[in-house]
Amino acid sequence: MKKISFLFLFSVVLFACSGTSQKSSFQTQSALTTSADTIAPIKKSDDEWKSELSAETYWVMRERGTERPFTGKWLTNKKDGQYVCAACGYPLFSSEAKYDTECGWPSFYESLDKSHVKEIVDNSHGMHRIEIRCARCDGHLGHIFNDGPRPTGMRYCINSVSLDFVPAKKDSMDKK
Ligand code: FE
C-alpha cells in the first residue's frame, strides 16, 4: 500500500512539473522570437503616433486592425523596389519576394532581413496565428502563414497601409 501511495504521489508531482513546463514554454513563445533586440527601437506615445499617422494607419499599426481585403494600394503593385514600414521607414520587404495570391493582401515569401520583423504568437479571435510587427517601431504589419510558395513556403500577409513603397531607381525611370 505504501508503494502505491508513493507512486501516486510521484505521478502528481510529475504532472505538476509538466504543467509548469508547458506554461513556461508558452510564455517563451509569446515573447519576441527574433534577434530584433539589436535594433534601436523607436518608442512614441499614442498621441504622437496619432498625430503622425492617418486614422486608418494608426488603427492597423497601433491597434492591430486589418484593412479590408482586396482594397490595399500595394496589392497589385508589380514595380521593383522596397517596401518599408509606413510608420518609421524601416526596410521590410523586397519586391523580389512579392507574389500573386488570392488572399486579398500583399504577400511576400520572405522578409528583407529576419531581424527587421518581429514574430509574436497571436491567439486572438479564437485563432492561433503568428503576428508580424516592425522590429524598430513595433507597428503591426500582418500575419505569417506556412502556405506560401517556394523557396520558403511562408506567406507574409501584410496590410498595405502598414507599408510605403520605395521604387528601385532603374524601375522608376523605366516605367514612368
Ligand atoms: Fe516601423
Side-chain angles (χ1 to χ4, degrees):
M1 186 64 187
K2 271 187 182 174
K3 207 173 200 175
I4 292 172
S5 299
F6 174 77
L7 281 174
F8 175 74
L9 186 63
F10 181 74
S11 305
V12 169
V13 170
L14 194 66
F15 181 78
C17 288
S18 164
T20 305
S21 168
Q22 280 178 357
K23 189 177 177 186
S24 166
S25 166
F26 175 75
Q27 285 170 339
T28 303
Q29 285 177 1
S30 297
L32 305 182
T33 56
T34 68
S35 58
D37 53 347
T38 54
I39 298 163
I42 292 177
K43 291 188 178 176
K44 296 182 182 180
S45 68
D46 286 344
D47 284 345
E48 284 176 300
W49 284 124
K50 255 181 198 166
S51 70
E52 291 179 16
L53 306 175
S54 72
E56 187 184 20
T57 304
Y58 179 85
W59 174 62
V60 169
M61 298 199 75
R62 307 313 306 180
E63 299 183 321
R64 299 169 63 216
T66 301
E67 70 189 10
R68 283 188 298 124
F70 302 103
T71 62
K73 60 184 173 182
W74 305 128
L75 181 61
T76 58
N77 184 32
K78 305 278 190 192
K79 291 184 176 178
D80 293 334
Q82 248 180 30
Y83 293 86
V84 303
C85 175
C88 77
Y90 203 48
L92 300 173
F93 300 98
S94 165
S95 59
E96 290 176 17
K98 190 172 186 287
Y99 67 97
D100 290 331
T101 176
E102 295 176 356
C103 73
W105 294 273
S107 296
F108 305 84
Y109 60 74
E110 67 183 358
S111 58
L112 204 55
D113 188 302
K114 273 195 176 298
S115 69
H116 288 208
V117 296
K118 295 175 182 175
E119 297 179 12
I120 298 173
V121 173
D122 174 11
N123 288 317
S124 63
H125 306 295
M127 293 179 277
H128 176 79
R129 296 179 295 174
I130 304 295
E131 180 193 353
I132 301 295
R133 292 188 194 176
C134 170
R136 186 159 73 174
C137 74
D138 205 36
H140 173 74
L141 303 173
H143 290 85
I144 182 172
F145 303 93
N146 60 1
D147 58 4
R150 291 181 181 180
T152 64
M154 304 309 289
R155 171 168 60 100
Y156 289 76
C157 184
I158 308 298
N159 291 281
S160 280
V161 297
S162 298
L163 301 172
D164 278 335
F165 179 68
V166 180
K169 283 185 181 169
K170 179 180 176 298
D171 190 75
S172 60
M173 287 168 63
D174 288 348
K175 296 186 181 176
K176 265 187 179 174

